[in-house]
Amino acid sequence: MDFFSDIGGGSLYKPSLFELVAQEQLRDMLQPALKYVLSVFAQRYPRYLLRVVNCHEEFHALIMFFVERHYLREYGASFSEHFYGLKRRRKPIVETERANTAVGGIPAQEKLRRIDVLSSLFFLVGIPYLRAKAQDYYEQLGGGVDPELMEEPPAARRLRVSEQTLGNRLRRLFKAVYPWANGAYELWLLGYNVAYLFDKTTFYRPWLSWIGVDMKRMGADDYQLMEGKATQALQGQSSSQKKRGLLAFIGRLLISSPQLLLDSLKVLLPMSIFFVKFLEWWYSPSSPARSLAAAPTGPPIPPPRMLPPHPRGIPIDGTKYGECPLCRKMLENATALPSGYVFCYKCAHEHVETHGRCPVTLLPARIWQLRKVLI
């Protein structure tokens, strides 16, 4: 990265385009990682998390609002920017890098104001949320689907055309305009990236120039300030423990726990992204798990033979496939017992709950041993 860092200009603290694109990709991967984790836990606790998964965009925007607000106020950068050692500063009218280097420290005029933090939050959280909702609405309207696949009959088409309302016209207008607007937006951002790469502008995003904020690498003064804050927090906690006792220390720790949790996201979120990407690779068709699952040589091992019926068990007609041996009807919600025989779930559950054994082989069986079968 040292070679590419010098492409965009002569300033040592000016980040390269590759660093800025990398931090944006990290921010874009946070939403699918969070959604995957929520989906896994929602399968176990659907009563509490199913609504959260259904409103995932709103939940993600709310979480990222507090995360980005914390990092902007504490470190002057978003979460992904701080992860890559970048920060935001108020763009000075005249660059005075030599004077600032001679004096030392972080200039007060470069620190973000409250209005800068709120403006950054709008473009970091608000704009991605609106784009996600617009994309979801476009897909709900059938955007991107071949019209031939969803060709409606002439009578339905005439009825739809006859019912011309304002809402229908606006929906059709949105469906026609959205792809062009989204494409123009991406080309606009690409143009700024190219201009930043060739040092034609100091802002890699247009809204940074609107709010008067640019990107900069963190220097030694920034790292010293972060270490000083951490040292003061530890000293304050240790002194409070000595003066007020253990209960006061625990209370102070609970008060500061949200900040500790937000700071720990620097490790937790990248680890969750790595975990999601690892699962995608592991379950992909070209992963080693697929090759290890198959036998290296020879045909696969056949399943064990089904146990023979007991003389006192119910009779089985081997010619009537798809019929439940208990109710003598077609299988409904097919369920297999440990013996290998398949019954309706209701029939198998009632018989095992009452007798505790397989009705054909008379082998012991329990409710938790019932297995659903896809047929």
Side-chain angles (χ1 to χ4, degrees):
M1 187 63 70
D2 294 338
F3 170 75
F4 295 111
S5 300
D6 299 332
I7 291 181
S11 177
L12 178 64
Y13 295 102
K14 181 181 178 180
S16 66
L17 179 63
F18 305 97
E19 295 173 278
L20 298 173
V21 172
Q23 64 89 17
E24 279 199 344
Q25 290 179 348
L26 174 62
R27 186 172 66 242
D28 294 340
M29 286 189 294
L30 294 178
Q31 183 173 2
L34 180 61
K35 186 176 182 179
Y36 178 82
V37 174
L38 286 176
S39 301
V40 171
F41 281 99
Q43 295 178 3
R44 187 174 181 86
Y45 307 103
R47 180 179 179 182
Y48 306 101
L49 296 178
L50 189 59
R51 294 181 180 178
V52 177
V53 175
N54 294 335
C55 302
H56 171 69
E57 287 81 7
E58 289 76 10
F59 179 75
H60 178 264
L62 181 63
I63 293 297
M64 293 309 299
F65 173 81
F66 290 103
V67 172
E68 302 289 17
R69 178 175 173 270
H70 169 75
Y71 277 86
L72 285 170
R73 294 177 61 181
E74 294 294 330
Y75 306 107
S78 66
F79 166 77
S80 57
E81 293 164 359
H82 180 70
F83 182 83
Y84 278 93
L86 306 177
K87 72 171 188 177
R88 299 185 174 213
R89 64 161 186 172
R90 291 171 56 194
K91 177 67 175 176
I93 300 177
V94 179
E95 293 285 352
T96 57
E97 292 188 5
R98 294 185 177 180
N100 295 337
T101 304
V103 174
I106 303 176
Q109 64 273 14
E110 292 186 359
K111 295 182 179 179
L112 298 181
R113 301 168 298 181
R114 187 171 182 270
I115 185 64
D116 300 327
V117 172
L118 295 177
S119 303
S120 300
L121 283 174
F122 174 75
F123 290 106
L124 287 172
V125 181
I127 295 299
Y129 169 73
L130 295 177
R131 292 192 65 191
K133 298 301 291 184
Q135 179 66 27
D136 290 345
Y137 186 64
Y138 177 70
E139 293 177 356
Q140 290 177 7
L141 296 178
V145 179
D146 191 355
E148 296 181 358
L149 299 178
M150 301 185 65
E151 185 177 1
E152 50 188 357
R157 188 182 300 109
R158 287 194 299 269
L159 179 62
R160 180 177 56 82
V161 173
S162 62
E163 296 178 353
Q164 294 289 349
T165 62
L166 180 60
N168 293 335
R169 293 178 181 177
L170 292 178
R171 282 191 287 269
R172 288 200 305 273
L173 178 63
F174 176 82
K175 185 178 177 181
V177 171
Y178 175 77
W180 296 96
N182 191 49
Y185 178 81
E186 295 294 341
L187 290 176
W188 185 37
L189 298 185
L190 178 62
Y192 261 84
N193 286 345
V194 174
Y196 183 87
L197 180 64
F198 290 98
D199 205 18
K200 299 299 181 181
T201 179
T202 58
F203 306 98
Y204 90 105
R205 285 292 177 260
W207 46 80
L208 294 179
S209 62
W210 300 345
I211 62 179
V213 173
D214 65 351
M215 304 298 300
K216 182 181 178 182
R217 288 197 188 101
M218 295 177 60
D221 296 329
D222 299 294
Y223 289 105
Q224 290 177 1
L225 181 61
M226 291 170 52
E227 293 178 359
K229 289 182 178 180
T231 304
Q232 289 178 2
L234 292 176
Q235 290 177 354
Q237 291 177 0
S238 60
S239 61
S240 64
Q241 181 181 5
K242 294 178 181 178
K243 294 180 180 180
R244 302 180 182 180
L246 181 60
L247 294 178
F249 172 72
I250 295 176
R252 186 180 182 88
L253 183 62
L254 292 176
I255 294 175
S256 61
S257 58
Q259 182 175 357
L260 295 176
L261 177 61
L262 292 173
D263 289 335
S264 64
L265 292 178
K266 291 184 289 186
V267 180
L268 296 179
L269 288 180
M271 286 181 60
S272 64
I273 294 174
F274 170 78
F275 181 69
V276 171
K277 292 299 180 180
F278 174 77
L279 290 180
E280 290 180 355
W281 167 78
W282 185 255
Y283 290 106
S284 62
S286 60
S287 68
R290 301 292 182 179
S291 59
L292 294 176
T297 57
I301 300 176
R305 297 182 62 182
M306 187 176 296
L307 297 176
H310 194 276
R312 297 181 181 179
I314 60 176
I316 295 293
D317 189 353
T319 61
K320 295 183 179 181
Y321 297 100
E323 182 182 271
C324 176
L326 288 173
C327 64
R328 302 299 178 180
K329 298 180 181 179
M330 295 301 296
L331 288 172
E332 294 184 1
N333 200 358
T335 303
L337 268 66
S339 59
Y341 291 92
V342 180
F343 309 87
C344 297
Y345 178 78
K346 182 179 179 181
C347 301
H349 188 278
E350 292 178 352
H351 187 87
V352 172
E353 187 177 24
T354 304
H355 303 282
R357 59 187 181 181
C358 174
V360 179
T361 62
L362 303 185
L363 292 177
R366 298 292 182 267
I367 295 297
W368 58 269
Q369 293 178 320
L370 301 179
R371 294 293 183 266
K372 300 291 185 65
V373 180
L374 298 178
I375 58 174

